[in-house]
Amino acid sequence: MAAFAILAGLAFFYLHSGRIEGGAFVSLLTLAFGVGLVTLIWPRVTHITILGSEIKLQRLTKEAETLVGELDAGKTDLYRTALSVMKHSPQVQEDEGRVLGQHASTLVELLGNIEKARLLEALDTEALSTTDRVIDELVRNLSNQTDLPADHYSTSLSSKAEAVIKRFGEGRSANEPQGIRGANGVDSNPESAKLVGDLKTLLRYRRRIKEQAH
């Protein structure tokens, strides 16, 4: 309304001072009415089309941003619940290699989806605790297939996992036939190789999560 009053006032001022004539006065007054009308209906306008191109206004953009934020919050809650379910699921026994393999593969896929959604940092606490739980189960299962030193069991989780991976690497490099325990005491069957691969992936996620937490 202030813009309308200013433009209308200028129109009458220029007309009476002789600076503009009737046609220019009408044009300026029309502009004043147009500005007043646009200002009046502006809160209800969501987009403008100019020469076939649609321009979305800020209010609509804010609504979209709010909706995206709500979706992100929903995804965060969903992934947090999935991690919690995995963390508190019944503990896998050392001899349940097939079940453990499914458990580890599911966590690898879940962490991959969380990373794609850029929520790994937001869920770092839940992701780290769940990853540690599955890594511990993998280490206990795979340690039964290796001849590791006794002091291995007093080291940190990461050190134990790396020792297991190294031991299996030594067994594979010796070209041992699959499905038998070789000279290094390493069972090199495909199921164990898959567990070792998942263990490596989970260790990489663990390092990344800990780096983000700092």
Side-chain angles (χ1 to χ4, degrees), residues 66-135:
T66 301
L67 181 59
V68 171
E70 292 174 353
L71 290 174
D72 285 341
K75 286 193 295 184
T76 302
D77 291 339
L78 178 62
Y79 287 133
R80 182 178 286 111
T81 301
L83 289 169
S84 179
V85 169
M86 291 202 67
K87 180 181 177 180
H88 296 97
S89 61
Q91 192 171 26
V92 180
Q93 300 301 316
E94 296 179 4
D95 58 345
E96 295 179 326
R98 188 177 301 278
V99 176
L100 179 58
Q102 295 174 350
H103 203 186
S105 297
T106 299
L107 181 57
V108 168
E109 183 179 359
L110 178 59
L111 291 174
N113 291 334
I114 293 174
E115 185 178 27
K116 289 178 182 177
R118 300 179 181 178
L119 295 173
L120 198 58
E121 186 173 0
L123 296 168
D124 56 358
T125 302
E126 296 85 353
L128 182 60
S129 59
T130 306
T131 301
D132 282 351
R133 153 100 188 252
V134 177
I135 287 177

Side-chain angles (χ1 to χ4, degrees), residues 162-184:
E162 290 169 357
V164 168
I165 292 171
K166 181 179 179 181
R167 196 65 173 170
F168 269 85
E170 292 172 352
R172 300 292 291 178
S173 64
N175 295 321
E176 298 168 358
Q178 291 186 350
I180 66 171
R181 189 178 296 272
N184 290 333

Side-chain angles (χ1 to χ4, degrees), residues 150-163:
D151 60 353
H152 157 73
Y153 298 97
S154 63
T155 59
S156 66
L157 180 61
S158 294
S159 298
K160 289 190 288 187
E162 290 169 357

Side-chain angles (χ1 to χ4, degrees), residues 4 6 22 28-29 45 52 56 58 69 77 81 91 96 104 108 117 122 125 132 140 144-145 170 183 209 214:
F4 166 73
I6 292 172
L28 191 55
L29 197 60
V45 177
K56 294 184 179 181
Q58 186 176 7
D77 291 339
T81 301
Q91 192 171 26
E96 295 179 326
V108 168
T125 302
D132 282 351
R140 286 190 291 103
N144 289 337
Q145 305 174 33
E170 292 172 352
I209 294 168
H214 294 295

